[in-house]
Amino acid sequence: MSYLELKRQAFEANMELNARGLVIYTWGNVSQLDRDAGVMAIKPSGVPYEELKPEHMVIVDMDNKIVEGSMRPSSDTKTHTHLYRHFDDIGGVTHTHSTYATAWAQAQTPIPCYGTTHADFVYGEVPCTAAMTDAQVERDYEEETGVQITDRFANLKPLEVPMVIVAGHAPFTWGVNAEKAVYHAVVLEELAKMASLTLEVNQRAPLLSQAVLNKHYNRKHGKNAYYGQK
Ligand SMILES: O=C(CO)[C@@H](O)[C@H](O)COP(=O)(O)O
């Protein structure tokens, strides 16, 4: 696709993130991948959503080199490209600091599956990455964030669990395109809020049984199908 179209898709997805109330000021970013061309369009760093324009999107290759654009790409660029290099089926990545999902990330606690709403979207808990060592942080925080995520997904299918919370930081979500990645960011924030309120009502709330989880997930996604496939 043309860079113009790639930028438009990334811009629209970033504006949807803002419209859904998941970001304030510049807290967050979305990218759209063109896998055939080996590039993505990503939000520029530090630009408030109110001032954002399609032409501001930065085209970056999978080695984090700027291909087109006058602005600095998001500070999370290396995490986005790391995920694209390791998750073959995704085409969009979203990062937010949405309140409830970030609270679970700061608590360094995976979000359990307490109900069928959760099971409709995520096959099991929303995973949390391992806390980074000081040495890892020193190396390159954004690249190491990508490493922590892909390490955590060694035995998970990215499109069955299209989201993660990064320990001490905040969530990343993905999907077959940027629009779906934003959709999953909205879903994640709701699931995190529901789980928080569930524990407020009953600290010993039971987890959803595996049988009910399987039934609900497979009913919504088709047996052994990945979420988001047409
Ligand atoms: O996680 C962080 C900062 O901790 C970033 O996601 C910022 O919240 C947005 O940075 P830019 O995309 O504007 O560089």
Side-chain angles (χ1 to χ4, degrees):
M1 78 179 82
S2 69
Y3 287 170
L4 196 64
E5 174 57 16
L6 192 61
K7 288 182 177 183
R8 186 194 67 76
Q9 290 181 17
F11 171 76
E12 295 296 340
N14 276 280
M15 297 315 285
E16 173 69 3
L17 200 58
N18 187 44
R20 293 284 179 178
L22 283 192
V23 288
I24 58 174
Y25 301 121
T26 65
W27 299 7
N29 39 74
V30 186
S31 66
Q32 169 65 53
L33 176 70
D34 180 342
R35 196 169 284 276
D36 294 337
V39 295
M40 70 177 182
I42 190 165
K43 180 182 173 291
S45 185
V47 178
Y49 283 88
E50 298 72 31
E51 298 170 23
L52 201 61
K53 294 186 174 68
E55 57 269 28
H56 292 159
M57 297 297 119
V58 187
I59 302 291
V60 179
D61 70 15
M62 291 301 105
D63 295 320
N64 303 303
K65 290 187 178 51
I66 297 174
V67 173
E68 184 194 272
S70 56
M71 293 182 154
R72 188 162 51 88
S74 166
S75 54
D76 297 297
T77 291
K78 288 183 178 179
T79 304
H80 287 239
T81 53
H82 184 97
L83 296 180
Y84 287 133
R85 290 195 305 268
H86 290 79
F87 293 168
D88 297 339
D89 297 329
I90 71 172
V93 174
T94 292
H95 173 53
T96 78
H97 288 234
S98 60
T99 305
Y100 282 89
T102 299
W104 283 84
Q106 292 181 163
Q108 305 199 14
T109 305
I111 305 174
C113 179
Y114 288 119
T116 58
T117 312
H118 183 126
D120 279 347
F121 298 97
V122 187
Y123 193 66
E125 70 181 15
V126 176
C128 183
T129 63
M132 260 189 242
T133 65
D134 290 350
Q136 286 171 326
V137 175
E138 280 314 303
R139 271 203 294 268
D140 181 321
Y141 181 76
E142 285 70 28
E143 178 66 41
E144 286 297 327
T145 297
V147 171
Q148 294 286 61
I149 294 172
T150 51
D151 283 354
R152 182 64 187 81
F153 273 73
N155 299 311
L156 293 172
K157 294 180 180 175
L159 286 184
E160 286 188 352
V161 181
M163 52 188 72
V164 71
I165 51 179
V166 176
H169 184 181
F172 281 83
T173 63
W174 47 83
V176 290
N177 55 37
E179 180 186 1
K180 274 284 196 301
V182 169
Y183 175 75
H184 291 140
V186 175
V187 166
L188 171 55
E189 179 61 8
E190 277 307 302
L191 297 183
K193 187 173 183 179
M194 288 175 188
S196 301
L197 296 175
T198 297
L199 290 174
E200 272 189 34
V201 173
N202 176 2
Q203 286 182 348
R204 288 185 296 281
L207 299 182
L208 195 69
S209 73
Q210 188 64 43
V212 176
L213 168 59
N214 287 343
K215 177 173 176 57
H216 275 265
Y217 184 84
N218 289 328
R219 184 180 66 183
K220 188 144 173 116
H221 303 282
K223 196 136 185 59
N224 302 326
Y226 292 143
Y227 180 64
Q229 280 183 344
K230 297 276 180 251

